Amino acid sequence: MAQIAWKMSEYSDCRMGRDGGYAVESRVPMRNRAVGLAVLIGLLVLSGCGSGVYFTITPTDPTAPPPVATQGGSVSVAPQYAAVGQGGSCQFKAMVSGSGGVQWLVNGVAGGNATVGTVDANGNFTAPTALVQSVNVVVTAALANSAQTNSATAVVSLVASGVVSDTGNPQVASYSISLPAPGSVYVEFGDSKAYGFPTSVQTTSSRNGGQLAVLVAGMRGNTAYHMRAQVVLNDGAAFTDTDHTFTTGQPPESAVVEVTAAAGDTPQPGIEMFDTLRPHEVAQAFATDLHGNVIWTYSYTGSLEDAVQPIKMLPNGHFLIQISYASSIPVQKGGIVIPGTLDEVREVDLAGTTIRSVTAAQLAKELPAQGTGLRLGSLHHDVLALPNGHLLLLFSVSRVFDDLPGYPGTTNVLGDELVDVDQNFIPDWVWNSFDHLDVNRHPYLFPDWTHSNALLYSADDHNVLLSVRHQNWIIKIDFEDGSGSGNILWRLGEGGDFRLEGGTDPTDWFYAQHGPSFFSTNTTGVFELGLMDNGDDRQFPAGVMCGVGGAAPCLYSTASVLQVDEAGRSASLMKRYVPPGSIYSFFGGNVDPLANGDLEVNFSAATTGTLVQELREENGTQQVVWQAVTKGTNQYRADRLPSLYPGVQW
């Protein structure tokens, strides 16, 4: 009798081993295939579909005669893979060549049963009506006669219905579903069974499938929603879960957003993320749809001095949030921080759960402050997630000077420090403004000397741009992903290294600026940079008087876009938008490009509150397409996001 040669191979693509198991192939002479098949059937019955072991038998003896169709024929099954929920059904077809009838089995049981599912004589499979957990089963079409038995199999993934539950956020649901094989899931939701809003896709990390929990966010408060999971397994089988309902709760208090839109114009789709700097509210970070309805909030426990500055979406769908107090407190008389005030950077998920965090106090233990003459203040104004997984933090520091020109006696001067921390929040690069800037240059609000407020990463050369508000400069720092010298490569702004073209020097430079953004895909050479020009200490040419005799007002804010030529040291004013009424926003704000080519500007601290506008250029002028006003509040930043999920457009 010929020997049976078993071959075992791991199915990485789950073509047969849907549960991440193994396929075992026997090579048996044709005359002994009946014996081999008997062994196979016995193993299949013992192991069931969930064992992860599958067998096929093929003739390998070169002396054995080839198969003869008239002696039994062959059978194949389509589809090879399917996915259904409890009580669901799917149709299999058996393609037969040769003679013989087809018998259908589920997990080796003829016709199946109520536990594994049933299949009728026509290949109609029906899943169990009570499905406790997700599991794989094997449907077999067997072709039999007196000479031999041939069969073909298909795998059915029985997917138990998902479970929807509350989270700590009244507007966020958790949708949990288990997959019996590797695959991915997203949830679609809406206030009707039309759904319409997808989440991002989550993928199983195990070769065996496993549990996935999708946070569903973007719903209005106190509203009933429908949601269902869409499942795609790696083998190509797809499954739509049954409809689930979820009623949101009452969100915490946030600013009220009043929205208007121009008739006939369509704004860039998405949501608006707001970051309320003052007054202090329960939810200082919140998102609205483009009608002004609050669809997400983040709240925390701190003190009245705490403020979110800023909130940024990370590539993994979490948010990077910095919560801290005003950086100027250390140089104010009696600048004492209220007990219970936070000074922290957090990564949070959509439910508001903190995934990881670091506090200023923790960093102070790691930073080489002792012996440098520096006194550490707070984390403030910005935090930058770097491509290598590090964070670049902005820290306030102060140093005492004696008898500075114009400042006799002792002066506590407030500067800034940049700290690059790795994934474990360990500092590995530090930059100190006192080492690179002239403490005797102080155009605005000295001794709050630098008051930096924004960081930009230059992907083309791995350096960093820092907005130094009280110097009226944006500077470029030799960073090189933490290996740079820290030297200042250039200073953009009045009194810096560039000449201004296309505007009046010095008036049309920027002053006390906020929120710069790259407007071009490149970040070096000749590139475009937009920013909010607050205009606090705007300068005018010699002999020009502002605010009198019909002259321009002394205080007004603009949204500007500059073309910067690094080699030529020129800055050309491409766009300069002054809203009607010469609005003056003395702090905060940002300017960003939108995907449709429009411009979004945030005048954070206008007279009555915050004015956010989407602008479209028509005939050389900027026209308002969409506008949001929050009266009595100041939105430090406002950002148009495609949705609450990275890579997903609503």
Side-chain angles (χ1 to χ4, degrees), residues 150-510:
N150 290 335
S151 65
T153 61
V155 179
V156 183
S157 294
L158 306 179
V159 184
S161 183
V163 176
V164 177
S165 57
D166 295 329
T167 68
N169 189 312
Q171 291 175 275
V172 179
S174 176
Y175 195 121
S176 180
I177 191 166
S178 178
L179 304 189
S184 60
V185 173
Y186 74 90
V187 176
E188 55 180 353
F189 66 97
D191 56 9
S192 73
K193 288 188 176 182
Y195 307 103
F197 297 96
T199 69
S200 55
V201 175
Q202 287 196 24
T203 303
T204 56
S205 58
S206 168
R207 294 178 56 253
N208 298 320
Q211 192 87 3
L212 288 175
V214 180
L215 292 175
V216 183
M219 299 177 283
R220 302 186 304 275
N222 301 312
T223 304
Y225 277 82
H226 294 264
M227 56 187 67
R228 64 183 182 185
Q230 294 288 353
V231 176
V232 178
L233 301 177
N234 289 359
D235 56 30
F239 167 74
T240 300
D241 196 12
T242 57
D243 178 75
H244 297 265
T245 58
F246 178 81
T247 300
T248 57
Q250 177 66 39
E253 181 184 359
S254 64
V256 176
V257 181
E258 300 176 1
V259 169
T260 56
D265 283 330
T266 302
Q268 168 63 34
I271 67 169
E272 196 72 19
M273 179 67 72
F274 293 91
D275 176 1
T276 307
L277 191 59
R278 62 183 191 182
H280 186 277
E281 293 172 334
V282 179
Q284 287 180 296
F286 67 99
T288 71
D289 60 22
L290 297 189
H291 302 290
N293 299 305
V294 175
I295 58 172
W296 183 82
T297 62
Y298 175 73
S299 53
Y300 57 90
T301 301
S303 79
L304 293 178
E305 286 189 348
D306 279 320
V308 172
Q309 48 171 346
I311 176 171
K312 295 180 176 180
M313 180 180 285
L314 294 171
N316 64 0
H318 294 160
F319 284 98
L320 189 62
I321 300 178
Q322 183 167 269
I323 308 171
S324 61
Y325 55 88
S327 62
S328 58
I329 285 180
V331 296
Q332 295 172 349
K333 291 183 178 180
I336 299 174
V337 179
I338 298 175
T341 296
L342 301 175
D343 195 356
E344 183 177 357
V345 171
R346 296 176 176 178
E347 179 180 342
V348 304
D349 64 17
L350 281 168
T353 303
T354 299
I355 306 302
R356 62 186 189 129
S357 69
V358 63
T359 66
Q362 290 170 328
L363 288 169
K365 295 178 181 179
E366 302 286 345
L367 292 173
Q370 291 76 19
T372 66
L374 295 178
R375 292 185 292 184
L376 296 174
S378 67
L379 296 162
H380 69 98
H381 280 92
D382 206 1
V383 56
L384 185 64
L386 299 170
N388 61 3
H390 289 205
L391 296 179
L392 191 59
L393 307 173
L394 178 56
F395 225 114
S396 66
V397 291
S398 60
R399 177 179 288 177
V400 174
F401 289 85
D402 292 325
D403 298 323
L404 288 172
Y407 291 85
T410 299
T411 304
N412 185 25
V413 179
L414 186 66
D416 288 306
E417 189 166 79
L418 300 183
V419 182
D420 177 13
V421 297
D422 64 16
Q423 291 87 339
N424 298 314
F425 301 124
I426 303 301
D428 61 5
W429 185 88
V430 176
W431 180 91
N432 180 5
S433 59
F434 288 104
D435 294 335
H436 297 279
L437 291 169
D438 181 5
V439 74
N440 293 304
R441 185 183 190 272
H442 35 76
Y444 187 54
L445 292 185
F446 191 77
D448 190 354
W449 171 51
T450 52
H451 200 103
S452 300
N453 57 29
L455 291 157
L456 280 182
Y457 180 74
S458 174
D460 289 349
D461 58 7
H462 308 272
N463 291 322
V464 167
L465 273 62
L466 177 66
S467 171
V468 191
R469 167 176 160 89
H470 286 184
Q471 293 290 309
N472 300 323
W473 279 345
I474 292 176
I475 62 175
K476 188 172 190 177
I477 300 171
D478 181 18
F479 175 58
E480 298 181 34
D481 289 336
S483 64
S485 65
N487 291 333
I488 295 176
L489 302 176
W490 48 250
R491 303 161 299 169
L492 179 67
E494 195 278 325
D497 302 314
F498 293 78
R499 65 184 181 277
L500 181 65
E501 297 182 349
T504 301
D505 187 355
T507 307
D508 292 340
W509 279 114
F510 46 84

Side-chain angles (χ1 to χ4, degrees), residues 78-127:
Q80 285 189 290
Y81 308 100
V84 297
Q86 64 183 40
S89 62
C90 56
Q91 170 75 57
F92 292 99
K93 291 185 178 181
M95 283 69 72
V96 177
S97 65
S99 60
V102 174
Q103 182 184 25
W104 291 93
L105 306 91
V106 183
N107 278 11
V109 179
N113 56 39
T115 301
V116 297
T118 60
V119 62
D120 64 18
N122 296 316
N124 294 307
F125 175 83
T126 302

